[in-house]
């Protein structure tokens, strides 16, 4: 039979269950866009920038069972999207990237958008495909989809040359999509040894990353069986419910919140699940896990990469944790309730919150006041999206997250500009859930035009812009060594102007007294499908534990000569 390449792309995308694509059409993709326009299953979404489109696709994968999909022009669309593709790659998020390609039936070179896209994308995708014939289109998309999801997930790229899209070509079959089984053989002996090690430990603890986000029930049962405290990474913030009595908070070393730092001080056996012990997760490698460490991950490359594990178990977190729990039950009764630990966690958390609430915010919005009020007004199943900056760590330390996948942020690629597009996409696939973004003013400037996409699609999310006038995560780091803020003080934008331009509602939160009412109003407007930009005059005069912790950890690592040089310069600048 004869089919156009565009028809084949639509067929394959419908088969794998794609509901939305994100991008901006060009001459190399209009034929596919026209096909999707006829589809009853897929809605192509027009964005204002492919970078925003890529963050949207990423956010869909993080908060639904769909794989976020881009449909973009070659070269210019691909380079614009590269920031979001890179974020998905380093954060282990599945994504399907489909671009048009230059003509392969022409003997001419210097074509429009001609470049080696595969070379560009090789370091930030799991695999790239180029369809050479009509026959290859469906299998390439099916395989790309499988690869994106299997093992440690990530983005996969497929190029469809424009001539294949436009003209009919011979295909022998149009097979339905049948997902391949990705069962991983389990190392039962290692799981049994791990159970034994945990059961015999005096003070075991759990450390959970994003890889454990779908194993929350199992993690709760294991923690409760052992009476063990639980800490998470930043990306894994939602992997354990913050309203569980054994939840301590982010991190477990000197840069962790006090409840976590104290609970893990004497930890003699660590069960680490779905974390790579990367730089952010470890606060610049400032943690010191016990030698009895059990490391569970779907990707065996992470074992012993930064910290040695006594037992490594390769596999899906949910499957391994289910088996581990069964093995624990064969060893004996659950450990008695750890009442002392639970009381200490509760009092450490309360003390830390009070320390923040007591901080004088000098007429601006106190971060703890803001998050206490936000938590009070949000449903348990709300989804919080953060960008990258000081605000991210304020969320991590002051905003309890109650549901799995209830918090997402750009973590290891650490790309500013993520949050604004992501809020819209999260709302698109979670229409009945409250969705709020916490965005630094600098990050908002990068992708704020995507609020136009939100208002066009009537996506009621709230964009809390933490307006401190600076690129604070960096200006705070400049403060001690340089005593000056080179290029980190923002040119002040009029946020109301952005709201007017993009058709969003706009509210200002001046101080603590405004908090309750403004949050209420914003959530109620959002519930009427209106995107709302809130200008939050936030107070950043108090540092997070994370920021203080990483500064200390890094400084301690300097040689004496370099310490003297840096401290000397800091003192000199302070005096002058
Ligand atoms: C694309 C990109 N550029 C630069 C950085 C470096 N960077 C990390 S955090 C940060 C400051 C962010 O400022 P803002 O969005 O205002 O958030 P705040 O720290 O003030 O909360 C910068 C510049 C980055 N992570 N990503
Ligand atoms: Mg800022």
């Amino acid at each position: 039979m004869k089919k156009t390449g565009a028809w084949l792309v639509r067929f394959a995308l419908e088969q794998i269950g794609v509901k939305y694509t994100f991008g901006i059409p060009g001459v190399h993709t209009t034929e596919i866009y026209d096909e999707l326009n006829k589809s009853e299953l897929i809605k192509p979404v027009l964005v204002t920038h492919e970078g925003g489109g890529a963050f949207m696709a990423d956010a869909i994968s993080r908060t639904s069972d769909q794989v976020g999909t881009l449909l973009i022009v070659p070269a210019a669309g691909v380079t614009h999207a590269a920031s979001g593709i890179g974020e998905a790659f380093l954060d282990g998020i599945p994504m399907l990237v489909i671009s048009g390609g230059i003509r392969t039936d022409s003997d001419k070179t210097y074509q429009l958008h001609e470049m080696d896209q595969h070379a560009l994308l090789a370091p930030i995708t799991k695999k790239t495909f180029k369809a050479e014939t009509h026959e290859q289109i469906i299998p390439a998309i099916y395989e790309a989809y499988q690869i994106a999801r299997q093992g440690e997930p990530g983005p996969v790229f497929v190029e469809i040359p424009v001539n294949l899209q436009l003209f009919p070509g011979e295909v022998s079959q149009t097979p339905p999509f049948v997902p391949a089984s990705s069962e991983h053989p389990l190392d039962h002996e290692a799981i049994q040894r791990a159970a034994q090690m945990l059961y015999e430990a005096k003070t075991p603890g759990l450390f959970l990353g994003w890889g454990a986000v779908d194993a929350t029930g199992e993690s709760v049962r294991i923690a409760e069986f052992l009476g063990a405290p639980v800490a998470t990474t930043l990306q894994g913030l939602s992997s354990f419910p913050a309203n569980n009595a054994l939840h301590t908070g982010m991190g477990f070393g000197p840069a962790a919140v006090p409840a976590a730092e104290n609970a893990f001080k004497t930890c003699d056996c660590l069960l680490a699940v779905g974390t790579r012990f990367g730089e952010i997760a470890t606060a610049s490698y400032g943690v010191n896990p016990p030698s009895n460490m059990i490391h569970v991950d779907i990707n065996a490359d992470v074992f012993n990469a930064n910290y040695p594990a006594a037992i490594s178990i390769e596999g899906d977190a949910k499957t391994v944790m289910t088996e581990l729990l069964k093995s624990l039950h064969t060893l004996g009764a659950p450990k008695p309730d750890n009442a002392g630990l639970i009381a200490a966690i509760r009092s450490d958390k309360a003390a830390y919150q009070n320390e923040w609430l007591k901080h004088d915010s000098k007429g601006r919005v106190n971060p703890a006041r803001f998050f206490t009020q936000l938590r009070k007004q949000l449903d348990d199943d709300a989804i919080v999206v953060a960008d990258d900056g000081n605000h991210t760590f304020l969320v991590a330390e002051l905003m309890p997250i109650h549901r799995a996948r209830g918090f997402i942020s750009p973590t290891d690629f650490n790309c500013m500009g993520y949050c604004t597009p992501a809020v819209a996409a999260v709302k698109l696939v979670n229409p009945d859930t409250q969705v709020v973004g916490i965005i630094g003013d600098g990050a908002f400037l990068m992708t704020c035009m995507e609020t136009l996409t939100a208002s066009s699609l009537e996506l009621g999310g709230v964009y809390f812009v933490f307006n401190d006038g600076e690129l604070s995560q960096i200006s705070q780091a400049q403060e001690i060594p340089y005593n000056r803020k080179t290029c980190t003080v923002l040119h002040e934008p009029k946020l109301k102007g952005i709201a007017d331009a993009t058709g969003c509602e706009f509210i200002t939160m001046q101080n603590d007294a405004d908090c309750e009412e403004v949050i209420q109003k914003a959530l109620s407007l959002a519930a009427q499908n209106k995107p709302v930009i809130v200008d939050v005059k936030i107070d950043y005069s108090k540092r997070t534990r994370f920021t203080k912790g990483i500064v200390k950890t890094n400084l301690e690592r300097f040689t004496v000569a370099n310490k003297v040089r840096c401290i000397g310069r800091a003192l000199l600048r302070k005096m002058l």
Side-chain angles (χ1 to χ4, degrees):
M1 73 193 106
K2 286 206 159 200
K3 296 285 182 194
T4 66
W7 186 93
L8 295 166
V9 170
R10 168 186 160 188
F11 175 82
L13 293 183
E14 285 180 346
Q15 283 289 315
I16 59 176
V18 169
K19 296 199 178 80
Y20 301 98
T21 64
F22 299 91
I24 299 176
V27 289
H28 295 81
T29 51
T30 45
E31 198 69 20
I32 303 178
Y33 270 94
D34 198 61
E35 271 297 335
L36 294 189
N37 190 40
K38 291 185 254 172
S39 173
E40 284 175 7
L41 303 176
I42 303 174
K43 178 180 169 61
V45 173
L46 171 64
V47 298
T48 61
H49 188 292
E50 289 88 347
F55 292 139
M56 289 179 169
D58 167 299
I60 283 202
S61 297
R62 291 191 205 223
T63 60
S64 76
D65 55 6
Q66 298 165 43
V67 170
T69 302
L70 284 175
L71 178 57
I72 52 183
V73 301
V78 168
T79 52
H80 267 30
S83 297
I85 301 171
E87 191 65 64
F89 184 71
L90 284 201
D91 284 2
I93 307 300
M95 183 186 285
L96 199 53
V97 184
I98 309 239
S99 92
I102 61 162
R103 299 194 75 111
T104 54
D105 59 350
S106 160
D107 62 352
K108 296 287 189 282
T109 184
Y110 304 117
Q111 291 187 41
L112 170 67
H113 296 322
E114 183 172 342
M115 66 168 261
D116 185 351
Q117 315 195 74
H118 302 267
L120 176 92
L121 291 173
I124 50 170
T125 52
K126 289 179 81 178
K127 189 165 175 166
T128 73
F129 291 85
K130 178 177 177 181
E132 305 283 354
T133 63
H134 287 78
E135 190 80 276
Q136 289 175 3
I137 292 176
I138 294 178
I141 292 176
Y142 286 177
E143 202 184 332
Y145 176 78
Q146 298 271 20
I147 293 172
R149 283 161 41 108
Q150 82 199 11
E152 183 178 324
V156 182
F157 173 65
V158 186
E159 175 178 339
I160 316 280
V162 62
N163 46 303
L164 297 189
Q165 295 172 36
L166 287 166
F167 308 126
E170 192 58 35
V171 283
S172 54
Q173 51 172 340
T174 54
F177 176 68
V178 184
S181 145
S182 56
E183 282 288 294
H184 200 91
L186 276 187
D187 185 345
H188 291 282
E189 185 271 332
I191 293 176
Q192 190 61 41
R193 273 191 294 128
Q196 193 87 36
M197 190 181 270
L198 280 165
Y199 198 70
E200 284 168 7
K202 269 210 194 90
T203 47
L206 276 68
F207 183 50
L208 307 177
W210 176 259
V213 78
D214 291 326
T216 298
E218 291 72 16
S219 298
V220 167
R221 285 189 282 281
I222 290 177
E224 287 176 350
F225 184 93
L226 296 168
V230 182
T232 72
T233 63
L234 172 66
Q235 199 187 343
L237 217 59
S238 72
S239 293
F240 199 82
N243 47 3
N244 182 289
L246 291 165
H247 171 274
T248 61
M250 182 179 74
F252 63 89
V257 287
E261 189 191 18
N262 293 335
F264 281 79
K265 252 183 195 145
T266 56
C267 175
D268 64 350
C269 178
L270 187 72
L271 172 62
V273 186
T275 172
R276 295 176 289 206
F277 287 94
E279 183 164 2
I280 296 273
T282 57
S284 282
Y285 314 106
V287 299
N288 191 14
S291 55
N292 274 357
M293 177 162 72
I294 301 151
H295 197 172
V296 178
D297 205 280
I298 192 83
N299 177 5
D301 292 347
V302 308
F303 299 139
N304 306 304
N306 287 331
Y307 296 91
I311 303 173
S312 311
I313 305 169
E314 186 181 344
D316 167 65
K318 195 176 173 71
T319 318
V320 173
M321 298 287 268
T322 305
E323 287 302 307
L324 187 59
L325 187 62
K326 276 191 210 156
S327 297
L328 281 170
H329 277 289
T330 65
L331 296 175
K335 297 288 166 91
D337 260 1
N338 207 338
L341 172 75
I342 288 171
I345 292 173
R346 195 183 306 129
S347 96
D348 281 347
K349 280 188 177 184
Y352 190 54
Q353 197 195 22
N354 281 336
E355 177 190 313
W356 273 88
L357 288 172
K358 274 201 320 240
H359 179 74
D360 182 3
S361 285
K362 302 202 163 63
R364 293 179 70 90
V365 178
N366 178 298
R369 186 86 51 206
F370 173 87
F371 286 114
T372 307
Q373 194 48 241
L374 184 65
R375 182 66 277 171
K376 214 164 140 191
Q377 294 195 37
L378 281 184
D379 301 333
D380 271 347
D381 75 341
I383 299 177
V384 178
V385 185
D387 212 287
D388 171 48
N390 187 50
H391 58 281
T392 318
F393 299 100
L394 289 172
V395 179
E397 297 188 3
L398 300 171
M399 175 73 192
I401 303 296
H402 292 170
R403 64 163 275 198
R405 296 180 182 265
F407 170 81
I408 62 172
S409 76
T411 310
D412 282 345
F413 196 74
N414 219 228
C415 196
M416 284 169 68
Y418 178 89
C419 183
T420 306
V423 165
V426 172
K427 190 67 190 173
L428 190 63
V429 289
N430 298 276
D432 303 322
T433 307
Q434 290 170 318
V435 182
V436 301
I438 308 295
I439 316 161
D441 42 4
F444 189 63
L445 291 179
M446 288 185 174
T447 50
C448 60
M449 278 299 131
E450 231 53 79
T451 54
L452 180 62
T453 311
S455 68
S456 314
L457 298 175
E458 297 180 5
L459 299 170
V462 184
Y463 303 81
F464 289 107
V465 181
F466 275 22
N467 187 349
D468 71 309
E470 292 185 8
L471 299 166
S472 261
Q473 190 65 14
I474 306 305
S475 64
Q476 287 179 5
Q478 288 172 321
E479 190 177 298
I480 298 173
Y482 308 116
N483 195 25
R484 50 196 74 160
K485 297 178 177 175
T486 309
C487 274
T488 49
V489 177
L490 291 166
H491 318 300
E492 259 182 62
K494 304 271 179 292
L495 295 181
K496 173 147 191 334
I498 294 170
D500 289 344
T502 59
C504 292
E505 300 288 333
F506 180 78
I507 321 176
T508 302
M509 187 188 291
Q510 294 286 0
N511 49 40
D512 288 351
D514 281 356
C515 245
E516 182 173 0
E517 199 187 318
V518 169
I519 292 175
Q520 221 163 41
K521 193 166 162 202
L523 290 176
S524 119
L525 285 166
Q528 300 160 46
N529 304 325
K530 294 175 183 159
V532 189
I533 297 172
V534 183
D535 182 352
V536 183
K537 309 287 189 197
I538 197 79
D539 167 40
Y540 271 179
S541 62
K542 182 171 163 57
R543 302 286 174 264
T544 59
R545 292 272 302 197
F546 183 85
T547 299
K548 283 195 273 192
I550 49 169
V551 168
K552 191 161 169 275
T553 299
N554 280 306
L555 195 64
E556 277 167 4
R557 221 173 266 142
F558 282 19
T559 58
V560 175
N562 280 331
K563 252 188 222 166
V564 169
R565 184 181 150 265
C566 285
I567 295 170
R569 180 176 62 186
L571 287 174
L572 197 66
R573 289 198 176 179
K574 204 125 212 127
M575 286 184 315
L576 295 177

